[in-house]
């Protein structure tokens, strides 16, 4: 299990530092709800997840709704007196794990608790992640009636041998049926893909992209595989049983994804995310990239309010025990200084098309911008709009561009 970030211990009351409480209340307010349960743990995954037989009484799926309700009530107390106390949630995202291993009525109930304690904005975006084999038409109808607006389906690949390497259990042939059921319920659909799995050819990846386009989703997320050292796949790569993903292969697959998705009307808006229209962009993820305020509920969930970041106990039992004792489940936090907040702003915003204004850069950045334009890493619209727009090649080299421009922040 990966170590938690370094930081100072979080107070058991959950109270915010005064400076963070004063800064709370930006343009948006979001909730993330972590559901840590999975039917099986995939070999590549290092998320904070647990199978049913790993957890006993007090940390089970049956106990989860009451525990989440305690944390929501605690968050209401902590935010009392801040600008967020009167703010409804603009976005809510249920992630995991596999949130849809819980009954649809349970997810609806958690959303109802969030709505009673804080309220939901009239146009709130409410998303759940789901595996294709954990949902059906009846499930989606319950979610839609409760106020959910989106589902993010973990498709990952349409190729059976790639899914087998990833240890994904769903039948790729069923994805189209599930997408249709979600749309029939009135939900927007995002399909999540992973490229660079050991043994995946460029033709395999093209096959997956073609399948995605047949399903006509509103949104696609395409992430390159990262082999994490603490995972089963990490051990397989270390032992030489699987090859490490190749950087050139990953670049070729990203370029193919951009070409095929753009040709079908799915335009990139963040390096790894594509949408059919601005209204189909994931507003919850945009809140992260904008360093907005969000409260993360559940085991291991992270939160950010007013420039302070904190994280909950990872194991469901430790998280539940703290809540049962009327204490915050947060175990550590980091208070960000002005320089760190500025650096994170550019690191996140530069990945979003047209998000970062050139006015945030000092005059010393002008020759750097001119060179990046000349090298074809920034698009011409950067000059026209005064906001950074990465070209396809620029997206492939985004981390290096961030490092260069971070030295020239005002």
């Amino acid at each position: 299990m990966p170590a938690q970030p370094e930081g100072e211990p979080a107070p058991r009351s959950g109270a915010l530092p005064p400076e963070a409480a004063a800064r709370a209340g930006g343009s948006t307010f979001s909730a993330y709800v972590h559901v840590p349960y999975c039917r099986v743990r995939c070999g590549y995954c290092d998320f904070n997840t647990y199978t049913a037989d790993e957890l006993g009484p007090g940390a089970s799926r049956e106990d989860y709704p009451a525990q989440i309700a305690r944390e929501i009530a605690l968050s209401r107390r902590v935010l009392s007196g801040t600008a967020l106390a009167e703010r409804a949630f603009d976005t809510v995202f249920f992630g995991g794990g596999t949130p849809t291993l819980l009954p649809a009525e349970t997810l609806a109930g958690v959303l109802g608790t969030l709505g009673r304690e804080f309220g939901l904005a009239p146009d709130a975006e409410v998303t759940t992640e789901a595996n294709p084999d954990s949902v059906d038409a009846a499930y989606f109808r319950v979610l839609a009636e409760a106020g959910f607006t989106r589902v993010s389906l973990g498709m990952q690949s349409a190729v059976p041998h790639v899914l087998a390497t990833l240890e994904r259990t769903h039948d790729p042939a069923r994805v189209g049926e599930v997408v249709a059921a979600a749309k029939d319920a009135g939900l927007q659909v995002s399909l999540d893909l992973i490229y660079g799995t050991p043994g995946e050819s460029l033709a395999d990846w093209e096959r997956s992209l073609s399948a995605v386009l047949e399903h006509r989703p509103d949104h696609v997320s395409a992430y390159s595989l990262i082999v994490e050292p603490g995972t089963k796949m990490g051990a397989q790569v270390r032992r030489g049983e699987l090859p490490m993903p190749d950087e050139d292969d990953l670049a070729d697959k990203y370029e193919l994804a951009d070409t095929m998705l753009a040709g079908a009307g799915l335009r990139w808006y963040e390096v790894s995310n594509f949408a059919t229209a601005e209204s189909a962009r994931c507003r919850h993820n945009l809140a992260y990239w904008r360093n907005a305020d969000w409260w993360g509920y559940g085991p291991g969930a992270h939160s950010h309010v007013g420039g302070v970041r904190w994280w909950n106990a990872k194991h469901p039992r430790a998280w539940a025990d703290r809540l049962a004792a009327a204490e915050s489940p947060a175990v550590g936090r980091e208070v960000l200084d002005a320089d760190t907040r500025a650096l994170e702003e550019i690191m996140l915003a530069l990945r979003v098309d047209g998000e970062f204004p050139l006015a945030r850069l000092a005059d010393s950045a002008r020759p750097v911008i001119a060179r990046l334009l000349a090298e074809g890493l920034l698009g011409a619209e950067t000059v026209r709009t005064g906001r950074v727009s990465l070209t396809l090649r620029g997206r492939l080299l985004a981390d290096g561009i961030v490092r260069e421009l971070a030295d020239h922040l005002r």
Side-chain angles (χ1 to χ4, degrees):
M1 181 181 297
Q4 291 281 20
E6 294 183 4
E8 63 185 44
R12 290 187 174 270
S13 66
L16 295 172
E19 62 271 25
R23 281 194 298 263
S27 58
T28 60
F29 186 31
S30 298
Y32 171 75
V33 181
H34 187 71
V35 182
Y37 313 109
C38 278
R39 186 168 287 118
V40 297
R41 183 179 291 115
C42 302
Y44 68 93
C45 180
D46 76 332
F47 294 163
N48 188 36
T49 64
Y50 304 83
T51 57
D53 58 2
E54 293 178 284
L55 301 172
S60 68
R61 283 181 275 181
E62 292 73 23
D63 299 314
Y64 181 84
Q67 295 159 352
I68 279 286
R70 291 190 186 102
E71 188 173 5
I72 295 171
L74 179 141
S75 68
R76 182 68 180 160
R77 293 194 299 272
V78 169
L79 294 175
S80 176
T82 74
L84 292 178
E86 305 304 321
R87 287 292 302 274
F89 285 120
D90 298 284
T91 72
V92 181
F93 196 102
F94 289 73
T98 307
T100 48
L101 281 185
L102 297 178
E105 293 78 8
T106 299
L107 297 188
V110 174
L111 182 63
T113 302
L114 289 168
R116 287 190 297 275
E117 290 286 359
F118 287 95
L120 299 175
D123 63 343
E125 174 194 273
V126 183
T127 306
T128 185
E129 293 180 336
N131 284 345
D133 57 359
S134 65
V135 285
D136 57 21
Y139 198 105
F140 288 138
R141 285 195 295 270
V142 173
L143 294 186
E145 290 170 3
F148 282 76
T149 62
R150 293 177 82 250
V151 60
S152 182
L153 289 167
M155 177 178 170
Q156 315 311 0
S157 175
V159 181
H161 79 83
V162 175
L163 291 171
T165 300
L166 293 172
E167 298 185 329
R168 301 289 293 184
T169 59
H170 69 269
D171 179 359
R174 190 168 181 269
V175 173
E177 173 189 334
V178 173
V179 170
K183 289 185 174 184
D184 285 346
L187 301 174
Q188 284 192 336
V189 176
S190 177
L191 293 178
D192 297 344
L193 295 172
I194 292 176
Y195 60 92
T197 299
E200 179 191 58
S201 67
L202 192 61
D204 290 333
W205 178 233
E206 184 175 8
R207 179 179 168 186
S208 291
L209 291 167
S210 295
V212 163
L213 297 181
E214 289 176 6
H215 302 323
R216 302 180 65 84
D218 307 286
H219 184 282
V220 172
S221 297
Y223 297 105
S224 64
L225 178 70
I226 297 174
V227 179
E228 300 289 357
T231 62
K232 178 181 176 180
M233 180 175 284
Q236 291 172 310
V237 169
R238 189 176 64 252
R239 293 192 299 263
E241 298 168 8
L242 293 174
M244 178 69 81
D246 177 77
E247 291 297 326
D248 290 336
D249 177 67
L250 294 176
D252 289 344
K253 287 172 178 171
Y254 182 84
E255 291 178 358
L256 180 62
D258 184 74
T259 298
M260 292 182 65
L261 294 173
L266 285 144
R267 187 181 182 280
W268 84 280
Y269 68 97
E270 190 274 342
V271 170
S272 299
N273 288 270
F274 306 78
T276 55
E278 187 169 347
S279 59
R281 297 177 177 184
C282 182
R283 288 162 46 203
H284 186 85
N285 285 343
L286 282 167
Y288 291 153
W289 297 320
R290 290 168 176 163
N291 246 351
D293 293 324
W294 77 86
W295 193 293
Y297 301 94
H302 286 228
S303 303
H304 173 267
V305 171
V308 62
R309 181 181 296 114
W310 67 93
W311 45 93
N312 286 350
K314 293 190 73 168
H315 196 279
R317 175 59 61 78
W319 169 76
D321 286 348
R322 284 174 170 258
L323 289 167
E327 296 178 349
S328 166
V331 294
R333 74 180 185 186
E334 180 183 12
V335 180
L336 309 177
D337 59 30
D339 289 343
T340 302
R341 293 199 303 274
L343 179 60
E344 289 197 357
E345 175 191 354
I346 190 171
M347 288 174 61
L348 295 167
L350 275 178
R351 296 179 59 88
V352 180
D353 189 28
E355 182 72 17
F356 189 80
L358 293 178
R360 288 284 290 111
L361 299 172
D363 291 344
S364 60
R366 289 181 179 177
V368 179
I369 294 293
R371 177 175 55 77
L372 293 173
L373 285 162
E375 292 177 353
L377 301 178
L378 300 183
E381 56 266 44
T382 297
V383 176
R384 185 176 67 253
T385 64
R387 291 178 171 271
V388 173
S389 180
L390 301 176
T391 62
L392 173 57
R393 183 163 172 261
R395 280 176 268 156
L396 292 170
L397 301 172
D399 290 344
I401 294 171
V402 167
R403 287 192 295 271
E404 283 200 75
L405 295 182
D407 292 332
H408 300 277
L409 284 171
R410 289 188 184 277

